[in-house]
Amino acid sequence: PNPASSQELTIHINASIINDADLGSINLSFYNTVGKLVKVQPITNSNTNITIPINNLPNGIYTCVLSTKQQTLAAQKLTIIR
């Protein structure tokens, strides 16, 4: 897992992932350890470096899923420790 300790998270998304997706809306979704959706961040197609506020998420382990309505593009674990 990638530890996060600040109030925001900056991620880099490979442009080819965005370009190869069946475009429509792309979202970065955060799920807690019991699988509950706790945050959704829309991603614009032109943005590959994204800063997301995480100050409202409590400490814990999350699964971050980058997806369109049709498919999951990527998934990564995130640990928030403050």
Side-chain angles (χ1 to χ4, degrees), residues 1-78:
N2 296 323
S5 58
S6 67
Q7 298 301 309
E8 57 187 25
L9 174 67
T10 301
I11 61 169
H12 174 77
I13 299 172
N14 186 323
S16 66
I17 289 176
I18 293 175
N19 293 336
D20 291 345
D22 292 333
L23 295 180
S25 59
I26 298 176
N27 290 315
L28 181 64
S29 303
F30 293 78
Y31 297 89
N32 65 15
T33 54
V34 295
K36 180 181 176 187
L37 179 63
V38 294
K39 182 176 181 67
V40 176
Q41 179 71 41
I43 306 297
T44 61
N45 298 346
S46 61
N47 242 349
T48 57
N49 287 313
I50 301 152
T51 301
I52 300 168
I54 57 169
N55 55 332
N56 61 337
L57 294 176
N59 289 352
I61 299 172
Y62 298 88
T63 302
C64 304
V65 179
L66 184 68
S67 62
T68 66
K69 289 183 179 181
Q70 294 81 23
Q71 62 183 336
T72 297
L73 304 173
Q76 179 72 42
K77 294 282 186 191
L78 169 72

